[in-house]
Structures are given as structure tokens and as C-alpha cells.
Amino acid sequence: MRVDQITLDRLLALIDKLPGTRVVVVGDAILDRYIWGKVSRISPEAPVPVVNVTHESVRLGGACNVVHNVQQLGGRASLVSVVGSDGQGKTLLDSLMAEGVDVSGVISHDERPTTTKTRVVAHSQQLLRFDQEEKAFLPAGVQEELLSRLNRVLPGAGVLLLSDYAKGILSPETAKGAFELGKKYGVPVFVDPKVSSIDSFRGATVLTPNNLEASQSSGIDIHDDETLLEAGRRLLDRLSSQSLLITRGEMGMTLFETGDALHVSHIPAVAQDVYDVTGAGDTVIATMSLAFAAGASLLEAAVLSNMAAGFVVGIVGTAAVSREQLRTILSSSPLFEPGSGHFRPEGFRPRVRL
């Protein structure tokens, strides 16, 4: 579809269709721990700040943050992943079930710790992060069980979403099996890839690398429109993907769609005070997948995901946008022409047909 066909009314109607739409997420389950405090002095033992801890909190990270975003938008999420048989794994599962996430696809593994990232934050500034994780790929038997559980939960889903944080869940064999099941059930596959494993996701409906990942994967330093277009073309050819969404921070997003010709649409970032980009990519692919499953075009889904991401980067730590908040963001966005509800011409750079 063309940019000038997108209207505020159409996007608001799509938001109304999100409740009950089902997305299955396969990927790395991560527990995000936060230690919050204040700094008023430097340690006499070493030149480091002394953090006076005020409280601690936990949030859903990685693929768990993706399903959290789906649920917050009113969708129904099923998670297929592996956690450790430890306290962190129990915390993750309890938090997911409390949100109504289907966790029948989650395996508790005795020989693998739950991936946990602990961040120390003072005065809205992250000072330190330390990780507890095992990055090795799962044993063959566990991979087979993971795909067996995916086979049980996938029928009837609108999108199969692969969230790769390079923590060992999405091995080449698991990715291949997931794609085969997506094809078996006619479910489109959306992928948030890591550079090291991007070739495992050939043939995806959509891939959503960020600017750095797209640069590294294509071998092209993206610094202007020309290099952006060349990197996009090279990645689409290399990965045989139907489309590609490159997220570009303050430069917005660029959507590449194949078909009778290559169509490129640039989506501007909405002005926003950025406090923390943690989990913004999760919000992008969760919103885009859910919207597409609810009937949006890829371009409409990308616009909605751009609006959602612009909201969460203004919050410290992993976060999600609710359906009501997304409606408010859209209704007050300067990118829509008052009265007609169409995008302002200056809101998008020209659509490129190559």
C-alpha cells in the first residue's frame, strides 16, 4: 500500500482489532533485575560511585518482554522457550502466568541457568550491568522437545515470532524446524535477529535488524540514504526475505518490501526524550507482528510499531505500551493532518520504487 493511503481512522480501527489476536513467540527468556538507588559520594576504596540502594524490581526481558508487549496491547501470547529449574525461572514463569501468557511451551531445564541481567540504576542512569547466562545451544533432545511444544501451540496463530538474543535457544536446527512448522500451518514468520545467526532465518516474512546489525550483516556502513538502500537490497538478496524493517533510532525506520519491484518507505521518528532504549526492539516486533496478524499491511504495522517504540524509550528499563496509550499517542501525533487524518506529506520522505 502507499503511504498516502494510511489514515488515523484506519490505524485506530486496527488497534481495536488487536484484542484476542494470537502470536506465538520462540526465543530467549530473560529475567531483568533492577537495583535502584542514589549516589551521593565516591567510594574511598576505589574511584567508583557508592550506590545507596532504595529498592529492587524484576521485569520480563528478551522473548518474555516480547510476549509482555503483545499482552499489553490486548493480544494473546504463547511463549516457547527454556528456563532454568531455579528461582529466577520460577519468577519468570509466575510473572508470565500472572499476565495470562500461555507458558505450556516453556521447558524447565535442570542443567541450564535462567538468563538473568542485573542492572544498577541511580538517578535514571544505568551504572552497571552483570549477566548470569549460558549461551551454548540446547542439547539435541531439548531442541526436539522445544519444537514438539511449538507444534502443539502454533496452529491457529496469526504470526510466529522468533526473538533471538543469542542465548542458545534459536540454534540453526531449531530455527529451521520453526520455519518448517510455520510453513506447515501457513503462519508468517517475523524475526528479530542477531548478526551471528542471521543466516538461520532465510525466507522470513519480515526481519527487523537495527541500523548497526544491518550494517554488520550486510558489510555496508550505513550512514546515508544511498548506503541504507544498498544494505537493504543486499540483505534481502542474501536472506530471501519478503521484507525487511531496519530500525534507525532517531532517524526512524525504513521498510523494504519485495514484490513486482522493491518498495522502500521511510518512517520518521516521533520527537521523544530518550531515557532508555532497552527492549525497544521487542516493542517494535511485538507491535508489528500483532498488528499484521490483526489485518494491518506491513507498512501500517510498521507505523504502529514506530509509535509504540517512541513511547517506551522514554521510560527507564524494559517497558510496554498499552492499547489505550497507543490510541492516545496516535490521536495526538503531529504526523497526521488535522481534519482529514492523513499523514502529513512532510511526515514521510518520498516512497522509493526501485
Side-chain angles (χ1 to χ4, degrees):
M1 79 181 296
R2 300 192 312 271
V3 170
D4 57 12
Q5 293 176 313
I6 297 178
T7 66
L8 176 59
D9 286 345
R10 165 68 176 167
L11 295 182
L12 292 174
L14 285 168
I15 292 176
D16 290 337
K17 294 181 180 180
L18 299 182
T21 302
R22 198 159 75 86
V23 173
V24 174
V25 180
V26 182
D28 300 290
I30 299 174
L31 179 67
D32 284 332
R33 294 182 63 244
Y34 289 86
I35 299 174
W36 306 85
K38 298 179 180 179
V39 174
S40 58
R41 63 190 178 98
I42 300 299
S43 172
E45 304 168 352
V48 295
V50 175
V51 179
N52 181 26
V53 177
T54 57
H55 65 286
E56 299 184 23
S57 62
V58 294
R59 298 183 186 176
L60 300 169
C64 296
N65 188 41
V66 175
V67 299
H68 172 59
N69 275 267
V70 170
Q71 293 286 136
Q72 287 297 299
L73 286 168
R76 293 168 50 218
S78 296
L79 178 64
V80 179
S81 188
V82 174
V83 298
S85 299
D86 50 27
Q88 292 92 331
K90 184 179 185 303
T91 297
L92 268 182
L93 289 174
D94 288 346
S95 299
L96 290 165
M97 288 187 290
E99 289 200 5
V101 175
D102 170 22
V103 296
S104 62
V106 180
I107 300 170
S108 293
H109 188 34
D110 291 337
E111 300 178 8
R112 193 179 188 90
T114 300
T115 300
T116 304
K117 299 180 181 180
T118 302
R119 298 173 176 88
V120 179
V121 182
H123 309 287
S124 299
Q125 177 67 47
Q126 185 178 148
L127 303 181
L128 175 69
R129 191 185 95 185
F130 50 96
D131 298 353
Q132 298 162 283
E133 61 188 17
E134 170 58 68
K135 292 185 176 182
F137 290 136
L138 299 166
V142 181
Q143 292 186 47
E144 292 173 4
E145 175 61 22
L146 200 73
L147 290 173
S148 176
R149 296 197 183 199
L150 175 59
N151 187 48
R152 292 200 293 267
V153 301
L154 188 57
V159 164
L160 170 57
L161 192 164
L162 306 185
S163 175
D164 185 19
Y165 272 76
K167 305 303 181 186
I169 301 299
L170 284 166
S171 67
E173 294 78 15
T174 300
K176 179 182 177 182
F179 270 80
E180 289 174 347
L181 289 172
K183 183 177 181 180
K184 174 182 176 181
Y185 294 112
V187 180
V189 183
F190 284 42
V191 183
D192 187 3
K194 287 298 182 189
V195 174
S196 59
S197 56
I198 197 167
D199 285 304
S200 297
F201 306 120
R202 291 178 56 85
T205 306
V206 184
L207 290 121
T208 63
N210 61 34
N211 199 78
L212 176 60
E213 291 166 339
S215 293
Q216 293 174 336
S217 300
S218 66
I220 297 173
D221 178 23
I222 301 174
H223 57 272
D224 57 19
D225 285 353
E226 183 178 352
T227 52
L228 172 67
L229 293 174
E230 181 57 30
R233 282 194 292 257
R234 183 173 295 185
L235 284 175
L236 286 170
D237 289 342
R238 171 181 169 184
L239 300 171
S240 302
S241 175
Q242 295 179 33
S243 56
L244 177 74
L245 180 72
I246 299 178
T247 57
R248 306 176 61 211
E250 70 277 6
M251 296 297 292
M253 303 175 174
T254 301
L255 178 66
F256 297 77
E257 298 177 87
T258 61
D260 57 343
L262 177 62
H263 296 275
V264 183
S265 298
H266 300 286
I267 306 169
V270 180
Q272 171 72 58
D273 291 328
V274 177
Y275 292 103
D276 194 345
V277 299
T278 303
D282 299 333
T283 298
V284 168
I285 196 164
T287 306
M288 189 174 187
S289 299
L290 188 62
F292 185 79
S297 69
L298 285 175
L299 183 55
E300 289 170 332
V303 170
L304 286 171
S305 72
N306 183 58
M307 296 287 183
F311 172 81
V312 300
V313 296
I315 302 172
V316 178
T318 52
V321 60
S322 70
R323 196 167 68 259
E324 292 72 23
Q325 288 169 327
L326 187 55
R327 288 183 64 88
T328 300
I329 293 166
L330 283 169
S331 298
S332 60
S333 173
L335 296 181
F336 296 99
E337 188 71 41
S340 71
H342 285 271
F343 272 109
R344 295 172 181 268
E346 66 271 22
F348 283 80
R349 288 185 284 165
R351 183 182 178 90
V352 181
R353 183 179 177 91
L354 302 173

